[in-house]
Amino acid sequence: MTAPAPATTNIEDLPVVVIGAGPVGLAAAAHLVEQGLEPLVLEAGPQAGAAVREWAHVRLFSTWGEVVDPAAEKLLAPTGWTRPDPDTYPSGGDWANDYLQPLADALGDRVRTGATVTGVSRSGRDRVVDADREAQPFVVHITYADGREEPLFARAVIDASGTWATPSPAGGSGLPALGEKAAADRITYRVPDLDDPAVRARYAGRRTAIIGSGASAFTALAHLADLAKADDGADTKGVWILRRGISGSTFGGGEADELPARGALGLAAKAAVDDGHADAVTGFRTEAIERDANGRPVLVAEDGRRLDPVDEVIVLTGFRPDLSFLSEIRLHLDARLEAPVELAPLIDPNQHSCGTVYPHGHRELSHPEQAVYLVGMKSYGRAPTFLAMTGYEQVRSVAAALAGDIDSADRVELTLPETGVCGGAGLFDTPDADQTDGGGCCAPAPALIQLGAAQAPASGGC
């Protein structure tokens, strides 16, 4: 039974609970402190930036100058923290160790690790009850790593838990492919760390299917191509599975991308195909993952096509939000993207890249349940087009709104780099790659193809 909130407690004296000690969650805490509000950050992992640490080996396509929040930098300044060179590109490990952990340390007891949020509601009110609802504080149920459970009370809740823990499946219908769970021993939903000897041995000399078309898929293709060229990587081969066809935009913005590393990442993926280290299978929507006589996965499409067996499968089809612990909160979410309804039209991946998303803040992030905000990658639902600087501006606006400074909260100003795709962190080590070829705007017929350096992708009618 949930313990009642202390009767003498003024809601305004309670902390703002921030769920997640990642880049946006910690930035939210810094902005709340700047506004004179008390944050309490709850992180399920053992330390700050736990999710980022899981892709520590991957290099961001944003520079240090684009991934450090201004309010966080002010909070860090008295500690003697030195900002890394703003023109260089951190890895996930750099970001976690050289920025997120020092920021969590500066916030001190305001950050609790090993604290998993299992539910959020209004104290004494489930989502059905209207009476006196907004006068009640929020109650947040948490489970600690040692199994202890505890209710915490809050004046507001900022959910910056991200989507990392809930990757999308291989199935083309949004459901797990038939046999996907049974083939779990041959599937990963992360970009493999090929610098780890055990992981490297898993992929070296093997045939690996990569399902996905965003920056993470580009990264995996580039990593496997590098392995194929190494002394210990002979016969390493990628099979790139795309649900659509290949067009001029498949590999991102190339040299036209205002984030050079993002453009170079797409060019590296194109080079992997051009150089024969990966074959591209287009128009393939996975329906089932079967096994051959040797236990190797066999991908089967919705149209009945079967690919040759592979040794491993890397599924990089995006992420989706975990809304289960918010079931008692009155959210207003878009039916397609699972993003706030006012934000969804601005981030529709069918219409927008990172640079075309209109600046937004507390108003677009609001819900019928006042003082609840989904921010960061969580706010984008299933849309893959998120940049850290977008999240930093979100939480600046939200913190100002919670502090009652509506003029500041409404003054949302953010200029984002244009062109390309941004489905996650990427790899940037070869900025001098050739520019991607142009092509048509529509998908070709499903085919197994290998692009030649001088060959433009096939295109269909528009």
Side-chain angles (χ1 to χ4, degrees):
M1 183 174 180
T2 301
T8 57
T9 298
N10 187 325
I11 290 181
E12 293 185 357
D13 293 334
L14 294 172
V16 176
V17 163
V18 179
I19 305 173
V24 177
L26 292 174
H31 282 281
L32 290 167
V33 170
E34 189 172 62
Q35 291 286 350
L37 301 178
E38 189 63 22
L40 177 59
V41 183
L42 302 175
E43 168 58 47
Q47 56 190 138
V52 175
R53 295 176 191 278
E54 291 192 27
W55 49 270
H57 58 291
V58 179
R59 193 168 301 282
L60 280 72
F61 50 57
S62 296
T63 64
W64 270 114
E66 296 160 334
V67 298
V68 173
D69 175 77
E73 188 169 7
K74 291 179 185 177
L75 195 64
L76 283 164
T79 70
W81 180 78
T82 301
R83 181 177 184 173
D85 183 344
D87 296 324
T88 60
Y89 294 84
S91 66
D94 296 334
W95 204 15
N97 294 324
D98 299 341
Y99 169 62
L100 299 180
Q101 190 60 55
L103 180 54
D105 292 342
L107 288 164
D109 292 341
R110 297 180 174 110
V111 178
R112 294 188 191 178
T113 57
T116 300
V117 174
T118 58
V120 180
S121 187
R122 290 281 187 177
S123 180
R125 306 288 188 276
D126 64 25
R127 67 182 295 161
V128 176
V129 178
D130 291 331
D132 204 28
R133 185 177 188 85
E134 292 181 4
Q136 306 305 313
F138 292 97
V139 59
V140 180
H141 283 198
I142 59 175
T143 300
Y144 291 102
D146 62 6
R148 289 182 298 115
E149 295 181 287
E150 179 184 15
L152 298 176
F153 297 93
R155 62 180 294 175
V157 175
I158 298 175
D159 183 357
S161 60
T163 57
W164 178 254
T166 47
S168 295
S173 300
L175 302 172
L178 301 177
E180 182 170 345
K181 294 179 181 179
D185 60 318
R186 298 291 188 107
I187 300 175
T188 183
Y189 299 86
R190 309 288 188 246
V191 176
D193 181 3
L194 298 183
D195 288 332
D196 182 319
V199 176
R200 191 176 184 88
R202 178 174 175 176
Y203 295 94
R206 305 292 180 88
R207 178 178 167 88
T208 300
I210 304 98
I211 305 176
S213 59
S216 294
F218 292 170
T219 303
L221 285 165
H223 283 180
L224 288 174
D226 288 341
L227 177 57
K229 291 179 281 189
D231 292 340
D232 61 341
D235 298 323
T236 300
K237 185 75 172 184
V239 182
W240 187 22
I241 311 297
L242 296 102
R243 293 171 179 170
R244 301 177 182 177
I246 288 183
S247 71
S249 62
T250 296
F251 298 97
E255 293 177 0
D257 198 317
E258 289 188 18
L259 285 177
R262 186 174 63 195
L265 180 59
L267 296 176
K270 182 178 184 297
V273 177
D274 288 345
D275 295 343
H277 299 304
D279 292 325
V281 181
T282 63
F284 193 98
R285 294 181 173 273
T286 306
E287 172 68 18
I289 300 177
E290 300 178 354
R291 300 267 199 163
D292 71 357
N294 296 316
R296 301 173 73 200
V298 176
L299 273 60
V300 183
E302 292 176 348
D303 60 10
R305 285 178 298 152
R306 302 167 63 88
L307 299 183
D308 291 338
V310 295
D311 297 292
E312 300 289 341
V313 180
I314 303 174
V315 180
L316 300 169
T317 53
F319 298 86
R320 52 189 59 179
D322 177 8
L323 302 169
S324 61
F325 59 86
L326 300 174
S327 61
E328 296 306 314
I329 293 296
R330 297 176 177 180
L331 302 177
H332 196 192
L333 300 175
D334 178 75
R336 292 181 303 159
L337 298 182
E338 296 180 292
V341 291
E342 296 297 325
L343 176 60
L346 308 180
I347 60 173
D348 184 345
N350 296 299
Q351 303 293 330
H352 299 282
S353 73
C354 298
T356 62
V357 175
Y358 189 83
H360 57 277
H362 74 109
R363 295 195 184 277
E364 291 84 358
L365 299 171
S366 296
H367 295 279
E369 196 82 69
Q370 294 185 16
V372 170
Y373 299 94
L374 277 58
V375 300
M377 193 67 232
K378 184 76 171 274
S379 72
Y380 272 41
R382 299 192 183 203
T385 54
F386 188 77
L387 291 173
M389 63 183 80
T390 301
Y392 296 160
E393 181 60 15
Q394 286 180 340
V395 295
R396 184 206 63 78
S397 173
V398 166
L402 290 174
D405 187 353
I406 302 303
D407 287 342
S408 177
D410 285 343
R411 193 171 56 252
V412 180
E413 299 176 359
L414 180 63
T415 302
L416 295 172
E418 295 182 356
T419 308
V421 296
C422 8
L427 172 69
F428 179 47
D429 292 315
T430 54
D432 55 347
D434 293 333
Q435 184 173 351
T436 183
D437 294 333
C441 62
C442 304
L448 175 64
I449 65 174
Q450 183 168 317
L451 300 180
Q455 177 185 357
S459 62
C462 300

